[in-house]
């Protein structure tokens, strides 16, 4: 199964949070999940890294597959966004990740499960 890691978990790992490291190791080694992140989540990490963080960040992200965004994902994400933003305040990034998971299957690991209220989305709080 694919484990989609949300940007908050990726960032906490890069900041040295042991819980994030433990989760990623458990998913990869014990659960034997394929670790993925969405293209937008990867962008959230690399756009804001500092020059001195670039090497370690890219090395870390090289161990996680990045799922690209295509027309179908964008179109489905727009539907999710229009439906769930007014009531739950989801943002574009969350909608795109949710649409990615709908298209490819898998589970989202995040600290913000309230950002994924959509039925049929397999989401789990990271810790």
């Amino acid at each position: 199964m694919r484990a989609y890691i949300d940007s908050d978990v990726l960032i906490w790992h890069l900041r040295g949070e042991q819980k994030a490291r433990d989760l990623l190791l458990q998913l990869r080694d014990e659960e034997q999940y394929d670790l993925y992140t969405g293209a937008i989540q990867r962008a959230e990490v690399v756009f804001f890294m500092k020059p001195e963080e670039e090497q370690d960040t890219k090395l870390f992200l090289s161990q996680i597959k990045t799922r690209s965004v295509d027309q179908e994902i964008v179109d489905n994400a727009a539907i999710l966004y229009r439906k769930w933003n007014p009531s739950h305040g989801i943002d574009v990034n969350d909608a795109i990740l949710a649409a990615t998971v709908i298209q490819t299957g898998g589970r989202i690991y995040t600290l913000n499960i309230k950002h994924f209220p959509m039925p049929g989305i397999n989401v789990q709080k990271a810790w």
Side-chain angles (χ1 to χ4, degrees):
M1 179 192 272
R2 292 179 184 206
Y4 280 93
I5 312 302
D6 199 0
S7 56
D8 56 351
V9 177
L10 299 174
I11 291 167
W12 278 113
H13 177 275
L14 289 164
R15 290 180 178 167
E17 174 58 56
Q18 187 65 39
K19 291 177 187 174
R21 183 179 189 280
D22 291 346
L23 172 70
L24 295 172
L25 289 174
Q26 177 188 359
L27 291 172
R28 186 192 71 192
D29 297 339
E30 296 173 25
E31 306 289 336
Q32 298 182 345
Y33 279 59
D34 291 323
L35 298 181
Y36 276 81
T37 194
I40 303 303
Q41 286 64 39
R42 181 184 173 99
E44 288 180 287
V45 173
V46 298
F47 278 37
F48 298 105
M49 69 184 166
K50 297 173 183 148
E52 64 271 15
E53 299 169 334
E54 184 173 357
Q55 184 176 359
D56 289 341
T57 300
K58 287 187 175 179
L59 178 63
F60 167 61
L61 291 174
S62 73
Q63 300 172 54
I64 299 172
K65 298 172 188 164
T66 301
R67 177 60 169 90
S68 62
V69 176
D70 60 21
Q71 178 180 335
E72 181 182 352
I73 289 173
V74 171
D75 292 350
N76 288 334
I79 294 166
L80 294 173
Y81 178 82
R82 286 192 300 273
K83 179 172 183 172
W84 294 101
N85 174 268
S87 61
H88 288 77
I90 72 162
D91 64 22
V92 171
N93 300 350
D94 300 329
I96 291 173
L97 183 58
T100 300
V101 170
I102 289 170
Q103 185 184 79
T104 65
R107 176 179 294 152
I108 299 170
Y109 288 85
T110 183
L111 294 172
N112 299 308
I113 58 173
K114 66 182 180 180
H115 292 178
F116 301 96
M118 308 86 174
I121 296 291
N122 191 345
V123 62
Q124 183 169 328
K125 188 162 178 119
W127 62 84

